[in-house]
């Protein structure tokens, strides 16, 4: 079977406004909100690096400068921590700047995810690349991206990550019609619809925020008209690719993900994510968990805010 060129670059769109977390996101990018003590976006970059992608391009927008600062050196802070002999914190501060080779390009106008990905064209060139959306976090013990890159290198085309959800959730996502292949967790995509009403969804399989795209996607995005919400949708461009033969850069596969995914894009899920991460931290859990158990026990019949 043909082997296709390897994926080396990751594209991370971070230009969204983060209105769901206002006022916290008035002057701070939503991607910088901490999951315990690390910004959500750092987990995403770490995931790319763990999959071997050290070239990371962020598609940013206005008021996202603190993301660039976070992945850059902070000499004064490093000096102060070194002077105090605080090696642990020093290491944690240096880690984000040593992680990957970071690049940034601005998406001038908010014209949708497809448009954000199109902004990566010049940097990526004629190579397959990964796209990681910041609102979705994949547990580091579940190597989804590595599996997707493996599928791409053997079968070519593009690859999306899929997860099965309850029917009442499909209208918030891109939804796929799928066809089995001879690999249990790999399917062929036959249709894609961006955020369909529940009764028009082709299945319960939604796209979660991980993609491996053939570079042909750029040409397709360039001529993709605005879709759902008046925005240029990556989902629509992928549907065009799904209908093209693999020799022309077409064909889209799905990898069924059954691992742990954390959504940090809305308040309920964000809170759950923070609690789950704290529960697994050896430095915090011994004190935090007994408190949490007690809190739940005391408030079993209603939260402190309810009367
Ligand atoms: C985007 C995509 C959608 C996908 C989702 C995953 O939507 O357009 O197809 O299912 O990410 O999180 P957004 O959440 O940016 O509205």
């Amino acid at each position: 079977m043909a082997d296709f060129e390897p994926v080396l670059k990751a594209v991370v769109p971070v230009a969204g406004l983060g209105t769901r977390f206002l006022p916290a996101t008035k002057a701070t990018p939503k991607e910088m909100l901490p999951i315990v003590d690390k910004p959500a976006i750092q987990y995403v970059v770490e995931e790319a690096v763990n999959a071997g992608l050290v070239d990371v391009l962020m598609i940013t927008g206005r008021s996202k400068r603190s993301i660039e600062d976070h992945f850059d050196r902070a000499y004064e802070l490093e000096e102060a921590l070194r002077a105090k002999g605080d090696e642990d914190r020093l290491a944690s501060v240096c880690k984000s700047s040593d992680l990957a080779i970071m690049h940034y390009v601005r998406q001038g106008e908010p014209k949708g995810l497809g448009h954000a990905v199109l902004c990566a064209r010049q940097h990526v060139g004629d190579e397959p690349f990964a796209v990681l959306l910041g609102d979705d976090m994949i547990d580091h013990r579940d190597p989804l991206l590595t599996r997707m890159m493996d599928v791409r290198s053997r079968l070519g085309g593009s690859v999306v990550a899929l997860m099965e959800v309850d029917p009442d959730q499909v209208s918030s996502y891109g939804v796929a019609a799928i066809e089995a292949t001879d690999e249990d967790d790999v399917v062929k995509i036959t249709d894609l619809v961006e955020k369909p009403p529940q009764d028009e969804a082709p299945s319960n399989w939604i796209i979660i925020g991980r993609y491996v795209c053939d570079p042909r996607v750029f040409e397709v995005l360039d001529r993709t008209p605005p879709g759902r919400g008046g925005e240029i949708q990556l989902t629509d461009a992928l549907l065009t690719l799904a209908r093209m033969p693999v020799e022309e850069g077409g064909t889209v596969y799905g990898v069924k993900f059954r691992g742990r995914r954390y959504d940090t894009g809305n308040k309920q899920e964000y809170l759950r994510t923070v609690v789950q991460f704290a529960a697994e931290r050896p430095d915090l859990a011994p004190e935090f968990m007994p408190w949490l158990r007690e809190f739940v026990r005391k408030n079993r019949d209603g939260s402190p805010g309810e009367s």
Side-chain angles (χ1 to χ4, degrees):
M1 192 174 287
D3 256 314
F4 293 83
E5 65 275 52
V7 178
L8 301 170
K9 293 175 181 159
V11 172
V12 184
V14 293
L17 288 176
T19 48
R20 286 185 204 157
F21 284 90
L22 282 170
T25 48
K26 184 178 173 189
T28 302
K30 64 171 175 174
E31 294 80 6
M32 288 300 290
L33 296 179
I35 308 299
V36 184
D37 50 10
K38 194 153 85 175
I41 191 66
Q42 189 175 333
Y43 291 93
V44 175
V45 173
E46 285 175 0
E47 182 190 335
V49 171
N50 287 340
L53 309 178
V54 291
D55 182 313
V56 177
L57 173 70
M58 295 223 172
I59 314 297
T60 73
R62 289 165 59 225
S63 70
K64 299 283 177 168
R65 287 235 330 253
S66 61
I67 298 181
E68 295 187 37
D69 290 342
H70 182 71
F71 291 101
D72 196 359
R73 299 291 300 272
Y75 292 104
E76 280 178 13
L77 182 58
E78 288 173 28
E79 229 12 88
L81 292 169
R82 199 170 286 119
K84 280 207 256 172
D86 194 341
E87 296 300 328
D88 289 349
R89 290 205 176 87
L90 178 62
S92 77
V93 161
C94 292
K95 187 174 177 202
S96 55
S97 51
D98 293 340
L99 260 181
I101 302 163
M102 305 296 299
H103 305 270
Y104 301 90
V105 59
R106 280 195 180 202
Q107 179 184 14
E109 301 157 87
K111 291 201 285 191
L113 177 60
H115 178 252
V117 170
L118 191 52
C119 295
R121 187 177 201 166
Q122 200 179 359
H123 179 81
V124 168
D126 196 22
E127 294 171 23
F129 60 102
V131 177
L132 295 89
L133 304 188
D135 284 349
D136 287 298
M137 279 169 45
I138 304 296
D139 195 285
H140 64 100
R141 291 160 291 192
D142 301 320
L144 170 63
L145 195 55
T146 307
R147 176 68 179 144
M148 294 170 72
M149 285 160 54
D150 162 61
V151 169
R152 154 72 203 191
S153 72
R154 288 183 294 111
L155 307 180
S158 299
V159 187
V160 297
L162 298 175
M163 224 169 154
E164 197 168 23
V165 296
D166 292 334
D168 61 353
Q169 289 181 38
V170 290
S171 61
S172 306
Y173 297 96
V175 185
I178 58 179
E179 202 175 86
T181 69
D182 44 19
E183 290 177 77
D184 177 49
D185 64 332
V186 181
V187 290
K188 204 167 163 186
I189 304 290
T190 56
D191 194 12
L192 284 173
V193 192
E194 179 68 9
K195 303 195 175 90
Q198 190 176 328
D199 57 355
E200 286 170 30
S203 77
N204 289 353
W205 288 92
I206 60 151
I207 304 180
I208 53 174
R210 297 295 177 274
Y211 308 78
V212 173
C213 296
D214 187 276
R216 181 58 69 97
V217 76
F218 292 127
E219 258 171 72
V220 174
L221 279 170
D222 210 16
R223 53 184 160 82
T224 297
R228 173 80 53 191
E231 298 188 334
I232 298 172
Q233 298 291 350
L234 181 57
T235 304
D236 295 343
L238 287 168
L239 176 60
T240 305
L241 287 178
R243 292 176 172 160
M244 284 162 50
V246 73
E247 311 79 65
E248 290 173 24
T251 307
V252 181
Y253 295 97
V255 166
K256 290 179 173 180
F257 181 62
R258 298 191 174 95
R260 289 154 284 195
R261 161 184 174 252
Y262 311 94
D263 184 348
T264 59
N266 70 68
K267 283 180 254 196
Q268 290 293 339
E269 299 261 6
Y270 173 78
L271 288 170
R272 286 175 212 166
T273 303
V274 173
V275 171
Q276 287 178 79
F277 275 57
E280 294 207 25
R281 285 272 298 258
D283 57 333
L284 300 172
E287 203 179 319
F288 179 65
M289 290 311 286
W291 174 85
L292 184 61
R293 275 187 215 104
E294 184 59 14
F295 180 80
V296 171
R297 196 189 59 74
K298 272 197 201 149
N299 296 291
R300 238 189 326 240
D301 303 320
S303 75
E306 290 169 6
S307 52

